[in-house]
Amino acid sequence: MLMEEGRAKVNLTLRVVGRRVDGYHDLESVVAFADCADRITLTPGAKLDLETTGPLAQACGENADNLVFKAAQLLSERVPDLKLGDFVLDKKLPVAAGIGGGSADAAAALRLLAQANGLALDDPRLIEVARLTGADVPVCLASRPCVMTGVGEALMPLSLPIMPCVMVNPRVPVATKDVFAALGLRNGELLVGATDVIRTPGWPEQGASVEDWVEALSSASNDLEEPAMRIQPVIGEVLAALNATNGAWLARMSGSGATCFAIYENTADAQRAAQKIGRDHPQWWVHAGVLS
């Protein structure tokens, strides 16, 4: 039996550059990964099967719609005699939450299939399947901090320090397509001009401190925060709760929501903040940990 983790993806920044003629949105995002994850195992075999377990298994829906299933099927169409098998997904991350849970699961499944079949992680077929499965799957396949551009296919590695953080989800799903619809861009419409592209912030070099990074991140934002808040006003409450904690240096929404995060000076502050939010809002999903 083989095992991989699907780590939560956190968009530290998210800039919508514009909407392509084909309807896809061009993005620029600084992406980090958290220390909370779904766990997925593979027992290699001839047939493809998927079982979901764990505290959030009910939210996974039908197997046929699961990105793990989709990724495995797409890879088997491209790799002759691909060894498949029985996947078990231990679901701990909230779904439709802006932290790429389903994408991280699909990426973990692709890493497991690569391992079982002796494929390199940079095998063009694996990369192609990651792109076809979903926009966040390529970045989750690498599961390393980077600047992600285009529709998620262009990745530039970044050197991030370990950042103490708290992640909060109000257990309200937000559909990405609804948030982009609320953003309201027409096909072919640009939000960014040539001069804006020239002014793209340079990110700190290797060895920079958490403080350096918070300062740099403060000059950017998440362009989806406002449209997501119009759909689910509770996101504003989550951000207010994070901002009200002691030691929160930066609070922001991740992806298309509703998960929000705050970065702290140290892990003790993050732990205390998570405990306070957990007490005040027992119905919310709260995680204290690190981003890297």
Side-chain angles (χ1 to χ4, degrees):
M1 188 172 72
L2 307 171
M3 194 275 285
E4 277 278 345
E5 287 196 328
R7 292 166 74 203
K9 163 213 63 104
V10 174
N11 301 89
L12 299 176
T13 69
L14 201 160
R15 187 183 192 200
V16 180
V17 177
R19 187 173 182 179
R20 297 181 178 188
V21 177
D22 62 10
Y24 287 100
H25 289 79
D26 270 319
L27 309 174
E28 184 186 280
S29 178
V30 175
V31 177
F33 286 85
D35 58 349
C36 52
D38 291 335
R39 182 166 291 159
I40 185 161
T41 60
L42 172 64
T43 305
K47 285 198 176 139
L48 173 63
D49 194 29
L50 171 64
E51 180 192 349
T52 50
T53 63
L56 292 170
Q58 291 299 106
C60 288
E62 297 297 315
N63 273 0
D65 301 326
N66 196 293
L67 293 186
V68 167
F69 223 71
K70 182 180 176 181
Q73 285 173 322
L74 286 170
L75 192 62
S76 69
E77 288 165 15
R78 284 159 180 77
V79 178
D81 304 318
L82 184 78
K83 221 185 286 174
L84 293 162
D86 297 329
F87 285 105
V88 177
L89 169 59
D90 183 15
K91 190 71 187 161
K92 295 173 181 172
L93 299 176
V95 302
I99 51 174
S103 299
D105 298 340
L110 288 174
R111 291 195 298 271
L112 288 168
L113 288 169
Q115 208 179 325
N117 289 275
L119 300 175
L121 283 182
D122 59 356
D123 187 303
R125 295 167 296 184
L126 207 67
I127 304 293
E128 183 194 15
V129 166
R131 287 178 185 169
L132 290 171
T133 304
D136 279 337
V137 181
V139 75
C140 291
L141 188 64
S143 204
R144 295 280 179 273
C146 66
V147 178
M148 177 176 81
T149 53
V151 290
E153 79 285 5
L155 308 173
M156 186 188 83
L158 279 177
S159 179
L160 271 187
I162 290 171
M163 297 181 173
C165 80
V166 173
M167 295 165 62
V168 179
N169 181 278
R171 296 192 192 271
V172 173
V174 180
T176 302
K177 63 176 176 33
D178 294 346
V179 177
F180 277 111
L183 189 64
L185 291 187
R186 298 183 304 278
N187 285 10
E189 186 178 350
L190 285 178
L191 280 181
V192 174
T195 52
D196 292 321
V197 175
I198 292 161
R199 289 190 199 123
T200 295
W203 300 108
E205 299 290 322
Q206 187 166 356
S209 66
V210 175
E211 199 168 359
D212 294 335
W213 267 96
V214 167
E215 196 178 323
L217 293 168
S218 299
S219 68
S221 62
N222 180 343
D223 290 344
L224 298 181
E225 209 169 272
E226 206 177 292
M229 241 185 278
R230 289 203 298 274
I231 294 168
Q232 287 293 354
V234 69
I235 293 166
E237 292 174 40
V238 174
L239 287 168
L242 285 165
N243 275 315
T245 58
N246 289 328
W249 276 358
L250 174 78
R252 187 168 285 166
M253 187 184 84
S254 175
S256 53
T259 304
C260 299
F261 65 92
I263 296 170
Y264 292 79
E265 184 178 0
N266 56 63
T267 50
D269 282 350
Q271 290 286 353
R272 279 192 291 269
Q275 285 162 6
K276 181 180 187 328
I277 291 171
R279 276 195 309 271
D280 294 348
H281 302 277
Q283 73 281 22
W284 291 357
W285 177 88
V286 182
H287 171 77
V290 294
L291 301 175
S292 60

